[in-house]
Amino acid sequence: MNQIYIMCIDDEPDVLEAVERDLSTLEHLFPLETASSAAEARTVLQRIADAGDEVGAVFCDHVMPAETGVELMRWISQQEPWKLTKKALLTGQAGLEATINAVNQGGLDYYVAKPWTKESLIEVAKRLLTDYIIETGKDPMRYITSLDTVRLVEAVRSKGIMSDT
């Protein structure tokens, strides 16, 4: 069975460490990978794809050197292995125009304002990963106790695997 990763990208090591620490409760099912730039993220994403694994959710800072998070998310949205990957912009500095571009051009699924709380970040991750599991048609039973149980049970019912009777 292939792995479904969570990818975190931020040029600030302290922020990247905090995101990694806060999402570590999901790591038993979704290994975490990190990158400190868009270029490094592309390398890590390709390594994951080459191994036959997937990226279920990306949490990306907006303001980074050389390339913004919106530009990276736009690129991710255009690449076949990651078209269904859920994307969250994690920033305290994106203005309205950048946010609109992230939604319209980068296929942004969620906006997380800095500072965040651990609980809110985990909830966002669970929401995005639940969406990914449902949209990619994965067997939700493996994830049912760790993600959005109600939505995953509904997905199981709609596939005819489980019924009320």
Side-chain angles (χ1 to χ4, degrees), residues 90-164:
L90 184 65
T91 188
Q93 299 179 15
L96 180 59
E97 186 174 337
T99 305
I100 290 170
N101 285 338
V103 172
N104 293 339
Q105 297 174 17
L108 181 71
D109 296 291
Y110 213 92
Y111 181 98
V112 179
K114 292 179 182 175
W116 66 86
T117 64
K118 177 180 179 178
E119 294 76 20
S120 67
L121 193 63
I122 290 171
E123 284 306 310
V124 171
K126 286 181 176 182
R127 176 181 172 165
L128 296 176
L129 291 165
T130 299
D131 290 344
Y132 184 80
I133 297 301
I134 292 170
E135 289 178 23
T136 57
K138 305 272 185 245
D139 178 2
M141 295 307 290
R142 179 176 182 209
Y143 310 100
I144 212 151
T145 59
S146 298
L147 297 179
D148 186 332
T149 304
V150 172
R151 291 181 54 221
L152 290 175
V153 166
E154 184 57 38
V156 169
R157 282 189 183 134
S158 70
K159 288 181 175 181
I161 299 170
M162 178 189 303
S163 71
D164 290 332

Side-chain angles (χ1 to χ4, degrees), residues 45-66:
L45 288 165
Q46 191 58 54
R47 181 174 44 79
I48 291 169
D50 289 347
D53 294 325
E54 303 172 32
V55 179
V58 171
F59 288 84
C60 186
D61 185 22
H62 175 57
V63 180
M64 298 187 294

Side-chain angles (χ1 to χ4, degrees), residues 22-34:
D22 289 349
L23 293 179
S24 65
T25 58
L26 296 170
E27 198 164 16
H28 65 286
L29 280 176
F30 304 97
L32 294 169
E33 284 286 350
T34 61

